[in-house]
C-alpha cells in the first residue's frame, strides 16, 4: 500500500513580520505541515 505524499513547505522564504498570515496562506493552499529548519552557526 502506497502512502500519500505530505506537502510541507519551508517557512524560510516567509515574511517573518507576517509569519502567522504566511502560515495560514500555505495551510489554506493545501499544505499538511510547515517546516522550519534551525541551523546553529559556530
Amino acid at each position: 500500500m502506497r502512502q500519500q505524499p505530505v506537502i510541507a513547505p519551508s517557512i524560510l522564504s516567509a515574511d517573518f513580520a507576517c509569519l502567522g498570515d504566511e502560515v495560514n496562506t500555505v495551510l489554506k493552499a493545501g499544505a499538511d505541515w510547515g517546516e522550519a529548519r534551525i541551523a546553529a552557526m559556530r
Side-chain angles (χ1 to χ4, degrees):
M1 185 165 109
R2 289 187 70 164
Q3 292 182 335
Q4 291 289 82
V6 174
I7 307 298
S10 174
I11 65 166
L12 291 177
S13 62
D15 178 353
F16 283 87
C18 305
L19 188 58
D21 292 335
E22 297 277 333
V23 170
N24 284 331
T25 298
V26 296
L27 291 176
K28 287 178 185 175
D32 298 307
W33 299 340
E35 177 185 16
R37 293 181 185 228
I38 309 302
M41 303 298 283
R42 293 183 184 207

